[in-house]
Amino acid sequence: MEKKAGENRKCQIRNGQIFQEEGSFIPGTLYMLGERIVSEEEYRQADGMEDIADADGGYVIPGLTDIHFHGCMGSDCCDGTEEAFRVMAEYELSQGVTSITPATMTMSEEVLTQIGRIAKDFFCKNGSDFCGIYMEGPFISVAKKGAQNEKYIHRADAEMFHRIQDAAGGKIRTVVVAPETEGALEFIRELQGEVNISLAHTTADYETAKEAFACGASQMTHLYNAMPPFTHRAPGPIGAAADDAHCMAELICDGIHVHPAVVRTTFKIFGDDRIILISDSMRAAGMEDGEYDLGGQKVIVKGNLAVLEDGTIAGSVTNLMDCVRTAVRNMGIPLASAVKAAAVNPVRAIGMLDDYGTLTPGKYANVVILDRELSLKQVYHRGKAGI
């Protein structure tokens, strides 16, 4: 049998705190053979050149997966070009985010179809694994549009979704919908099991959101943002999500979108197996302060804050690895819980846990070494050292 390039590349990472899938760390050694993580026995039996890396007591974690971000380094998913996708993939990999599903905005069907065409066959040799598209809009509420462009908001339309999905070759992994809008519950019923469905940009009350979960929705997009608040007499969609054991909830831990106390409380309510950390970053991530574009609207960026001209928060400018650091250093979330929410849960939500998300033998060798202060020490992409 002909051997593939890199098949005999062997590497072991010693002296590290190895992340465990259930959300803990144990001291040990991680073994990689070619593109995959392997058992010690399989590693010992294989021939090939061997590299040995010393984690020096640091943390060995799975590469993170950002299933909801719009852009970085001046590029955006809605640019709809291979070059934009390449820039995003290369930057994310450099930050330890080894797999991605970039997010669209509320745009016209024509623009979304073009993005789908690029997504269909996109591959970046030197960037994060491209796992698909996160379709945020246009099936949302005008009243809770946030930074989305009202001009392109559309009633929930399964036929429209299927046209875009066909152009994307099935690469749309998540689609968002406001369940109280016209045709939304029928949309959810028709698409459940076909794509991950997340509630977003919604005015839904508790009962409506609960019905949406019963119909097949299974996720909440950027919890707390662009939705009714959770109160003691009107728990709204947040309360419905908490009550549904199968619902996962996204959190943006950039220090801007959600207060640290709320992040801690949310982890207590949902548990670290139901929270997905996302960056929701826009094209200004990794760039200097200034004026940028998001979905055709001007965004002003200063520090960690990105806003529209009217002051509406417009996504983040923080990558997912920095969100993990913020959650741990500033919000009191245990590192193992933060890694679980940024590596394991995202790929479980999009149905790709067979290849990604943990350090289990058989998974792709997408591995990150962090030092004891959580600084990036090394990134391995499919077994190959990147930095």
Side-chain angles (χ1 to χ4, degrees), residues 15-345:
N15 193 26
Q17 296 294 320
I18 312 295
F19 176 80
Q20 306 298 299
E21 184 172 352
E22 77 279 1
S24 65
F25 287 95
I26 62 171
T29 301
L30 185 75
Y31 300 94
M32 298 180 285
L33 179 63
E35 293 189 340
R36 300 280 177 170
I37 296 167
V38 296
S39 67
E40 181 178 2
E41 180 181 4
E42 186 177 0
Y43 183 88
R44 299 298 182 196
Q45 292 175 350
D47 297 325
M49 297 292 293
E50 182 179 41
D51 291 326
I52 297 175
D54 186 355
D56 193 26
Y59 302 99
V60 182
I61 67 172
L64 307 187
T65 297
D66 199 345
I67 64 167
H68 182 176
F69 78 105
H70 297 277
C72 52
M73 294 302 293
S75 292
D76 188 280
C77 180
C78 286
D79 293 344
T81 65
E82 288 189 14
E83 175 63 12
F85 278 31
R86 181 192 63 77
V87 169
M88 292 189 293
E90 290 182 354
Y91 171 77
E92 295 297 335
L93 181 60
S94 76
Q95 302 303 308
V97 182
T98 56
S99 45
I100 55 174
T101 65
T104 66
M105 292 286 288
T106 294
M107 304 292 282
S108 68
E109 181 175 351
E110 180 182 8
V111 170
L112 294 174
T113 299
Q114 169 60 18
I115 296 168
R117 292 192 186 105
I118 297 299
K120 181 178 180 180
D121 299 312
F122 179 75
F123 171 78
C124 182
K125 180 179 179 181
N126 299 314
S128 300
D129 289 343
F130 180 81
C131 295
I133 289 291
Y134 186 111
M135 188 171 163
E136 186 179 7
F139 311 130
I140 62 173
S141 163
V142 171
K144 289 290 185 179
K145 67 181 186 298
Q148 304 284 338
N149 194 331
E150 182 176 345
K151 177 181 177 181
Y152 299 112
I153 292 176
H154 196 286
R155 69 179 296 276
D157 185 339
E159 290 185 2
M160 176 181 172
F161 171 80
H162 281 132
R163 289 192 296 270
I164 299 169
Q165 181 71 299
D166 287 346
K171 288 288 184 69
I172 299 173
R173 304 297 182 189
T174 302
V175 62
V176 306
V177 63
E180 77 281 9
T181 59
E182 181 185 357
L185 295 178
E186 292 80 2
F187 177 92
I188 295 170
R189 289 190 192 98
E190 183 170 346
L191 294 182
Q192 65 90 20
E194 181 180 331
V195 65
N196 183 36
I197 302 172
S198 188
L199 306 189
H201 294 276
T202 176
T203 62
D205 58 16
Y206 175 88
E207 289 75 18
T208 302
K210 187 175 180 180
E211 185 175 2
F213 294 129
C215 290
S218 59
Q219 193 167 307
M220 290 295 295
T221 294
H222 45 49
L223 197 70
Y224 303 110
N225 297 109
M227 65 185 65
F230 175 86
T231 70
H232 62 298
R233 290 196 178 93
I238 299 167
D243 274 353
D244 191 297
H246 302 291
C247 179
M248 304 183 81
E250 300 174 3
L251 274 182
I252 309 171
C253 293
D254 63 346
I256 297 292
H257 282 76
V258 185
H259 191 280
V262 176
V263 171
R264 290 190 293 272
T265 300
T266 305
F267 268 86
K268 292 174 184 176
I269 293 172
F270 283 83
D272 63 9
D273 58 339
R274 293 175 57 200
I275 291 177
I276 299 170
L277 294 191
I278 63 167
S279 72
D280 198 21
S281 68
M282 55 160 307
R283 69 170 79 242
M287 304 284 284
E288 297 178 350
D289 291 356
E291 293 184 1
Y292 296 88
D293 168 89
L294 180 65
Q297 301 175 97
K298 186 168 81 171
V299 176
I300 302 162
V301 173
K302 187 174 182 179
N304 284 343
L305 183 63
V307 296
L308 300 182
E309 290 183 281
D310 65 3
T312 301
I313 293 178
S316 86
V317 291
T318 306
N319 66 64
L320 185 58
M321 189 63 79
D322 279 337
C323 287
V324 167
R325 295 186 182 100
T326 298
V328 175
R329 292 170 176 168
N330 303 335
M331 298 177 172
I333 303 303
L335 177 61
S337 291
V339 171
K340 188 174 182 180
V344 184
N345 299 343

